[in-house]
Amino acid sequence: MKKRTKRVYFRAAIFMLVGTLVGCAGNKDEKSIEEATSEANRNSSIEEATGKTDGGSAIKEVTSKTDESPSRKEATSKTDKSSSSTELKQSDTADKGDISSEKSVDENSNSKVSKKEDKKTLSDYSSKQIEYARIWLQLGPNQEIDELNVRHISAGEPVNIYDDTSANYPKDVVTLEGSRSVDGSVTYSSNGNGTINVYNVPSHWSSSAQVDKDFMKNYTEDIIRNTKLVHVDPGEDKKIIELINILNVH
């Protein structure tokens, strides 16, 4: 009995020792597990911290890029504005060029018309037109006229058409006069050689009665007898043409 009891105690002791050893091992394993877990947590914390740091850098980079973006946008905007301004300037320059070209064309056209008018010479007009203009330019009492009237009077017509006792013209004559009585008049007959006979005929006749019934006869006969021979000057072509342009032949 005693031997069995000892064996039981011995076995129990062994079991206790084994249990103790197993418990110690279990504690060690638990500690290992706890340490591993703690280390893993620390690593995770470090990784998270590192991640945050990297994330912060990434955020900073993103922020930096975002901050740079307005500058780029501003630069792009300035570039766009600059190019737009350049395009507008070029467009304005082109428009001004077009306007300038149009003006140049108009000016050239006007210049051509003016030159065409200036190029007109006396050869473009008849000898009679030139004669009327030259004689008025040389002998006309008033050069500031708006119209140059030409009247042809046949030979045999009275000098004074308002008086029956008037003498008659021995040849065909021409009377030049303005549109107003104050412009005066020139009455002449052409000799066909560059000279004319000028008759001193008044621009208008007085209607008052004369004391001597032969007064008008003598007066008009005196006009015919005392004609004045005049050499017609060539005159200035431009002024001759201006007078030709206001001729009104009756």
Side-chain angles (χ1 to χ4, degrees), residues 9 12 27 68 92 111 136 138 153 160 165 177 232:
Y9 285 137
N27 289 334
E68 289 176 5
D92 290 340
S111 177
W136 185 265
Q138 184 175 343
I153 301 172
N160 182 357
T165 63
E177 56 189 2
V232 180

Side-chain angles (χ1 to χ4, degrees), residues 155-204:
E157 294 290 326
V159 176
N160 182 357
I161 59 174
Y162 303 105
D163 196 312
D164 294 338
T165 63
S166 170
N168 299 327
Y169 287 110
K171 57 172 69 175
D172 296 340
V173 298
V174 176
T175 296
L176 305 175
E177 56 189 2
S179 57
R180 304 166 299 175
S181 60
V182 294
D183 293 333
S185 65
V186 178
T187 301
Y188 72 94
S189 62
S190 178
N191 296 318
N193 58 1
T195 65
I196 57 173
N197 298 313
V198 179
Y199 296 81
N200 190 23
V201 178
S203 57
H204 63 279

